[in-house]
């Protein structure tokens, strides 16, 4: 028996999307596999800062998701097929490999669970004041700020061919800086 490890590349595609498109069409069918993905660990200040960064166009990081249907179709390993089938049976179309804090934070903000950072926002040559408890939650945002948030561009890297082990290794490599 060989002691050498087997290595194979994953296959993925990158797509830009507006935040509203992501929330309306993808977010409800994204789940994290906590056997390798970390649970949410951001503080309220981290969450507010991230949403503010989205409004300002300063949140360029990728959402790395594995497409359960595509990965299921491309794997030859029966354990991996079962892994993806189990997720599909739970209504999960995308396994969150690296973006759980971001995806969870956006959902919480969309559900008015916290407010945007207070201050003056320069949006399309207008100065808009965001005041805590008044107009800082998603439903209460001034229209111009809500539209800026809705149209914020996020990059989705969609993995279409990977084993369950490769997803775990990718998460480890990303978070170890490799």
């Amino acid at each position: 028996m060989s002691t050498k490890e087997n290595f194979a590349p994953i296959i993925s595609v990158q797509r830009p999307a507006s935040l509203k498109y992501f929330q309306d069409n993808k977010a409800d069918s994204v789940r994290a596999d906590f056997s390798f993905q970390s649970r949410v660990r951001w503080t309220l200040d981290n969450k507010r800062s991230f949403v503010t960064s989205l409004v300002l166009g300063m949140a360029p990081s990728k959402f790395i998701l594995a497409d359960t249907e595509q990965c299921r179709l491309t794997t030859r390993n029966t354990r991996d097929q079962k892994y993806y089938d189990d997720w599909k049976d739970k209504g999960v179309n995308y396994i969150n490999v690296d973006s759980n804090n971001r995806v969870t934070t956006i959902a919480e903000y969309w559900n008015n669970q916290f407010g945007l950072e207070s201050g003056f926002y320069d949006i399309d040559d207008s100065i808009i004041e965001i005041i805590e408890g008044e107009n800082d939650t998603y439903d209460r945002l001034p229209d111009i700020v809500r539209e800026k948030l809705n149209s914020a561009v996020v990059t989705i890297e969609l993995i279409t061919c990977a084993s369950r082990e490769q997803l775990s290794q990718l998460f480890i490599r990303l978070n170890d800086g490799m």
Side-chain angles (χ1 to χ4, degrees):
M1 175 193 236
S2 173
T3 59
K4 293 182 181 179
E5 289 195 46
N6 294 314
F7 297 98
I10 62 169
I11 298 172
S12 64
V13 294
Q14 290 188 40
R15 297 186 178 124
S18 73
L19 191 58
K20 182 154 179 43
Y21 172 83
F22 178 79
Q23 280 305 107
D24 290 349
N25 298 288
K26 303 282 187 214
D28 284 343
S29 62
V30 173
R31 296 293 177 275
D33 180 345
F34 294 121
S35 68
F36 61 82
Q37 169 66 270
S38 59
R39 297 193 183 274
V40 175
R41 60 187 183 275
W42 280 3
T43 66
L44 181 57
D45 286 341
N46 294 139
K47 294 174 183 185
R48 285 183 172 150
S49 177
F50 175 66
V51 176
T52 297
S53 294
L54 286 167
V55 171
L56 299 175
M58 297 170 59
S61 56
K62 291 189 286 188
F63 294 14
I64 302 177
L65 311 174
D67 183 314
T68 55
E69 180 69 24
Q70 288 300 308
C71 287
R72 164 63 172 89
L73 291 173
T74 57
T75 188
R76 294 178 293 230
N77 182 304
T78 56
R79 281 185 297 159
D80 288 338
Q81 290 170 350
K82 180 174 179 355
Y83 172 76
Y84 290 117
D85 284 343
D86 289 347
W87 282 108
K88 288 294 291 177
D89 291 346
K90 295 175 189 172
V92 175
N93 295 330
Y94 308 100
I95 299 168
N96 192 330
V97 178
D98 190 61
S99 57
N100 193 40
N101 283 297
R102 287 167 277 154
V103 169
T104 302
T105 293
I106 293 165
E108 288 175 0
Y109 187 74
W110 236 255
N111 291 319
N112 303 299
Q113 293 177 354
F114 66 92
L116 197 60
E117 291 179 297
S118 296
F120 293 94
Y121 288 71
D122 186 345
I123 308 288
D124 298 333
D125 296 323
S126 296
I127 303 299
I128 309 296
E129 184 176 11
I130 299 297
I131 301 168
E132 186 174 349
E134 275 189 38
N135 63 349
D136 60 337
T137 59
Y138 183 76
D139 284 351
R140 293 179 153 190
L141 278 179
D143 290 341
I144 193 170
V145 179
R146 185 180 309 104
E147 182 51 38
K148 196 67 163 180
L149 180 62
N150 287 343
S151 64
V153 176
V154 296
T155 301
I156 301 168
E157 181 163 351
L158 196 58
I159 298 168
T160 58
C161 181
S163 68
R164 191 265 173 233
E165 179 62 26
Q166 286 175 306
L167 298 182
S168 177
Q169 286 298 314
L170 177 59
F171 175 81
I172 291 166
R173 289 173 183 269
L174 286 167
N175 289 282
D176 280 349
M178 295 192 289

